[in-house]
Amino acid sequence: ELARWVKRQRYQHHLLHQGKNSTMTQERIKLLENMGFVWDSHEASWQERLRELISYKNKHGHCNVPSKASHYTQLATWVKCQRR
């Protein structure tokens, strides 16, 4: 139920920015943003993986994340996709 509500908020926000009819208001935007609401979940995920890669590079000195490393599987997959 919460996931559906979050998706609706993002959709209404998108409509508002397209200049279409929307139930989203500036007051609601402010309230949501004040609590750290993420409007673009894809961008947030991308930024999170980038931070992980930076941390990996700082620790290992390179960005060649091995795909077989069990605790870096998501990062390794992300790096592989960025190289395509």
Side-chain angles (χ1 to χ4, degrees):
E1 186 66 30
L2 178 59
R4 191 177 324 165
W5 181 86
V6 167
K7 186 175 181 177
R8 250 191 331 266
Q9 303 317 299
R10 289 179 177 147
Y11 179 68
Q12 291 299 320
H13 183 260
H14 179 73
L15 289 176
L16 181 69
H17 281 275
Q18 287 185 326
K20 297 181 179 176
N21 287 338
S22 171
T23 58
M24 185 57 63
T25 64
Q26 291 303 318
E27 181 181 354
R28 288 178 180 181
I29 290 171
K30 188 175 180 179
L31 288 168
L32 289 167
E33 287 179 347
N34 284 344
M35 58 187 277
F37 191 85
V38 175
W39 295 110
D40 186 340
S41 60
H42 297 290
E43 178 65 19
S45 294
W46 194 91
Q47 291 294 331
E48 183 179 339
R49 291 288 176 257
L50 178 61
R51 285 190 296 275
E52 287 180 35
L53 181 60
I54 290 167
S55 175
Y56 182 91
K57 184 176 188 252
N58 289 339
K59 183 176 181 180
H60 299 281
H62 59 79
C63 294
N64 300 321
V65 184
S67 58
K68 303 230 187 276
S70 62
H71 45 287
Y72 293 114
T73 54
Q74 288 184 331
L75 180 59
T77 301
W78 181 82
V79 169
K80 182 180 175 182
C81 288
Q82 300 312 303
R83 290 184 175 140
R84 290 185 186 161

